[in-house]
Every structure is written in C-alpha cells, then in structure tokens.
Amino acid sequence: MKKVVTAGLGLAVLATAATAGSLNDNPNYKKLKNFHPKGANNETCLMCHKATDAGIVADWKHSKHAKVGVGCVECHVVPKDYPTAFKKHPMQGSNWTVQIAVSSVTCAKCHQKEVTEYMNSGHARGGLQWLATPKNKHGYLMTKLSYHYESLKGDNPTFLESGKKMGSGIRTDGSVFKANQKNPRTADLNVANICIQCHGSIIKLDKNGVPDATTWPNDGIGAAYPDGGVSNCLSCHSRHKFTAAEARQPGACTNCHLGPDHPMKEVFESSVHGHIFETNEEDYNFETGEQIPGKTVRAGTCFTCHMSGINGLESTHNVSKRLKWNLWAPDSFLRTKGAETAGWAWWKGAGKANLKTVTRGNAKAGHPQGPEAARAEMKQVCATCHQATFTNNYFQRVDASVKVYNQYRTMANKMMADLKAKGLMKADVWSDPFFKLYYYLWHHEGRRFRHGAAMGSPDYAHWHGVFQVMQDIREMKDIYDYRMKMLKKYGSAKKAMANEIPMPVVTHE
C-alpha cells in the first residue's frame, strides 16, 4: 500500500489548478456578483409562491440555503437588462426583475471553487460538443442523428448548420423520413425529451425572457445559458433543496449514466462495489463529504472514486481529473490535454452563439499533470481499501482491455475508410448495415466492454461487451468482403450498391 499512496500524494502536491479560463472572463458574472437590488426581499416572493408552488417553498425551507439566509432574491433577482431577465414579471423593483432560467453564473457568486472545477471537467462539454457547426463534425453527426434522422426534421437548419447539409443523404423514398419538413418545431420539441435532458443544449428565451419549450425545462449537465453560464448544477443537486448529500448518492449519477450506450449504473450495480452498497447502505453516510472507511463509507461509489477528498486527496467537482483514458470516444486515447475548454468558450462569449463559442471542446481533458498523474490519484483512492499489488494488477488488466478494444477499432476504421474511398457506403448511413455495426461497436458494445473492465463488472466487460464486439467485427468483415466482390463484379460502386442484397442487422443490446 505504501508504494501506491506515496506516488499519489507526491503527484497531488505537484498538481496545479490548471484551467482554461476564469470566472471573471464573463462580464455577466462580474455584473451579477456586484449587483445590489433595491427593495427586493424573500417575503415578497413567498406571499404568492407559498400558495402557488408549495412544493418549491417546502424544499427551500428544508435546505441549507434557507438556514444561512440564501433565498429567492439571491438566485432569481437580476438587473433589468440582464440576458435572462423576465421582463413581464408582475413583481419588479426600480433596478431589478427576476430570472426564470438560472445558470451556474448565479451559483458562482458563492460557489466559485466548485463552478471553476466543474468548468474544467468533461461535464462542461456535455451540451456544446454535440451541437452542429461547420467546424464540429462530431456535433454535426449527433445533431443530424437526433433532429433529422430520429425526429424527421427534413431540410431545416439546426443550430449553426444549414438545412441543406442537415438534410443531405437522408432517404426520400418514404414520406416518414422527412415528415416534419414543414413542422420543424415538432422535431425540436421531440429532441427536448431525449438528448437535451442529460447533455443540455443552448437555452432559448423569448423576447420577454420566458424559456422556450424546445430547450427548457432542462437540467442537462452542460446546458448553455444566454448569460454565458454552463449548467445550472441541478443535474446533481435537485431544486430547491440543492442538497450535497443527495448529489453524493449514486442515484444522482445514474439518472444519465445508464442504458445500452453508457451503462455505468448497471456496471456499478453488478460490481462488488455496487453489491456492497446495495446490501449495506447503513454503512454509508452521505451527509458528510468525508470518506472514512468504517465510519462514512464501506466501498467505493461514483462520488468516492471520482470526486471525494479521500486518503489525502482534495475533493473536486472535476470528474475528469482522475481518469487516465477516454473510454467513451470511438477510439480510446490517453487524457493528455489538461482542462476542458468548451464550457469556458461559452462562458467567455457571455452566451453568444457563434463558431468561437460553440465548440466540441477537449475530449482529452483530464489531470493537469497528465494521464499518469490521473492514474496515480485513482490508485490513491483504491489504496484506502486495497493493497498495492491488488491495485496495480487490476489497472494492468484495465489497460489491456482498452488496448484490445483499440485493436478491434483499428481494423474497423481501416475497413470504413476503404469503403468510403471506393464509394461503397450508402448516403443514408442509418440504412447502411456496415455503418450501423461500426456505430454499435464503439457507441454501445465497445463502451460496455471498456467501462465493464474499468469498473469491475465481468459480465458487462464480457458478454455485453467484448463478446459482441468480436461478433461485430466479423459481420463487418463479411460485408466489406461482399462489397469488394460486388465492386469487382460490376466495375462500378454505384452498380455494386444498387445490386446489394438486403442485410438486416441484429443489434446486440
């Protein structure tokens, strides 16, 4: 144990508060921090809201905020010219009105450390990285999937990308494929129920400051607000209690981290850590952030491993800091680039959407000292309960699984590149059996394989993971060989694809 702990402590001391921005980079933060509303008080708000919104008021009364005198005014009262100001609210002062859509700019007035750490984490990239811009291929593909393929938006523009490009390639041999061509708002409202709820989006307000239904209510982890704020902290700290104890529970994370594409909930529950938590909840105390074996914790939870101040580490809201590998991307790579950047770009732009403020960000965000420092900190967490040989052997196996996954991806990438170069892919990619397998291999089965290995769930690493990846690559190779044979037979990619027999794909959920 000594070897692991010493390495971790040394690196923890060397770590710097590396950041890609400062809270003061947003003029709205400085404006709000120094704002003094005249004549505003909580009792004025409660006169109406204790009757019309009894649940909200009850939650607030039981909150730590209420106990220390933080109420409606501190969070909802803003200058009349503030970007999120509700201009038609019946209760206004000489220099103030209220905001409905509250962002992390408001939270940062008191919680500077927490918001800064969050902004340096991959969570701050969640809402912006998947939005379409001419400079963000990842955002274009994910926006096109959710709005135009799934929600049938047709040839209408979305975010910063043109309608012509968003609708290109989508098949037209059935009226359903672009059913909302003349009703794009229907598509936008549908997406508000899916991706946005976890990832976030750009929050839209009408001219009076009332949030639009296509983007709000929205507690997505990376929602981008008109005042430059990113997130509203409610993904983990639900309104209006905002309790830290609730946010430390695994349930705060598994609201989004579950399902076939990122089943951290299921992986945790089927691990030894999850087994201990489910059967010994009396051994956990989430009212305190202290993680002391035998007093407040018995085995690791999401909070324990990724955020807590355990075994000499500093607690953090940067959930990327202890991660060596990126395990969600199509190809796994080391996290070598320090702080996240997407959230800071939006923050610095004070909520104005353009090519500089809506970016994919830094998928290599991790520890400011690099991936080995991240691994050392995670080993330091493990060393609280595990002997050094146990921990070191475990992470050797994790690294091996990541490398095996990348070996599969290398072959998949090579075949994909060759098919594209020869014109042997369908324009409507979601009608292409090779593309669907290519997607499942990383987005579903490959993630399950990697996360199962990293979090100690053998069934997810194996039967839900690598076993299915192994099948994917074989089916992809068969399709690849068939198309090459057809190309040779017809001498034309167009004729080869036109004469391809139907190939239904069985998804491996």
Side-chain angles (χ1 to χ4, degrees), residues 182-459:
K182 295 181 179 180
N183 302 288
R185 184 170 174 81
T186 298
D188 293 347
L189 286 166
N190 183 61
V191 178
N193 292 320
I194 51 176
C195 312
I196 285 176
Q197 290 304 311
C198 282
H199 281 270
S201 183
I202 296 175
I203 305 300
K204 298 179 182 178
L205 309 180
D206 69 12
K207 63 181 181 180
N208 292 317
V210 178
D212 189 275
T214 61
T215 62
W216 196 93
N218 179 349
D219 300 333
I221 195 69
Y225 285 77
D227 61 355
V230 181
S231 179
N232 57 9
C233 306
L234 296 175
S235 295
C236 306
H237 305 270
S238 66
R239 59 168 79 84
H240 272 84
K241 224 175 173 183
F242 307 109
T243 165
E246 178 185 292
R248 295 178 187 124
Q249 292 261 13
C253 309
T254 59
N255 184 46
C256 286
H257 291 277
L258 79 169
D261 55 335
H262 35 51
M264 288 77 160
K265 175 183 186 291
E266 296 89 338
V267 168
F268 170 72
E269 289 175 350
S270 57
S271 72
V272 174
H273 285 165
H275 158 70
I276 292 172
F277 176 73
E278 290 292 330
T279 56
N280 297 272
E281 291 191 35
E282 68 278 4
D283 293 335
Y284 295 79
N285 179 7
F286 292 105
E287 292 297 329
T288 173
E290 291 185 301
Q291 296 285 277
I292 305 171
K295 292 186 177 181
T296 63
V297 64
R298 187 177 164 211
T301 63
C302 319
F303 166 73
T304 307
C305 299
H306 294 285
M307 299 178 71
S308 76
I310 192 170
N311 198 18
L313 291 169
E314 183 181 356
S315 63
T316 182
H317 276 62
N318 183 348
V319 295
S320 304
K321 191 180 178 187
R322 298 173 190 172
L323 303 178
K324 176 179 179 178
W325 294 100
N326 182 312
L327 298 182
W328 60 260
D331 301 276
S332 274
F333 44 76
L334 295 170
R335 293 174 172 267
T336 57
K337 298 294 185 180
E340 178 49 50
T341 58
W344 286 117
W346 183 260
W347 185 275
K348 292 173 184 178
K352 305 296 183 184
N354 55 57
L355 294 180
K356 291 184 178 180
T357 61
V358 182
T359 72
R360 185 183 184 187
N362 175 19
K364 293 184 178 181
H367 196 289
Q369 298 290 327
E372 292 307 323
R375 173 59 58 80
E377 287 204 8
M378 189 60 83
K379 283 186 175 183
Q380 190 171 334
V381 174
C382 302
T384 307
C385 300
H386 298 290
Q387 187 267 345
T389 301
F390 181 105
T391 301
N392 292 331
N393 285 358
Y394 183 83
F395 281 112
Q396 284 184 57
R397 300 188 330 212
V398 172
D399 292 346
S401 291
V402 173
K403 290 173 183 176
V404 169
Y405 167 78
N406 278 342
Q407 289 167 340
Y408 281 106
R409 275 294 297 186
T410 297
M411 182 177 179
N413 289 338
K414 184 177 179 181
M415 289 190 292
M416 172 64 87
D418 201 16
L419 290 174
K420 278 186 174 181
K422 290 180 169 63
L424 295 173
M425 293 292 296
K426 294 184 178 182
D428 187 306
V429 293
W430 291 105
S431 298
D432 192 300
F434 185 91
F435 177 84
K436 286 189 277 190
L437 287 164
Y438 182 82
Y439 188 82
Y440 294 137
L441 185 144
W442 79 266
H443 193 266
H444 286 49
E445 289 117 25
R447 286 179 175 174
R448 299 198 293 255
F449 172 25
R450 289 172 284 176
H451 283 110
M455 294 172 60
S457 174
D459 197 62

Side-chain angles (χ1 to χ4, degrees), residues 10 16 68 150 175 228 260 314 317 383 461 472 477 508:
T16 62
V68 298
E150 293 174 336
S175 60
E314 183 181 356
H317 276 62
D472 291 338
K477 183 63 165 62
H508 309 142

Side-chain angles (χ1 to χ4, degrees), residues 35-45 72-74 76-78 91-98:
F35 178 59
H36 300 288
K38 298 176 182 178
N41 63 79
N42 294 325
E43 289 305 316
T44 301
C45 306
C72 320
V73 171
E74 287 73 22
H76 286 279
V77 170
V78 296
M91 298 295 291
Q92 299 187 40
S94 60
N95 71 336
W96 61 268
T97 183
V98 303

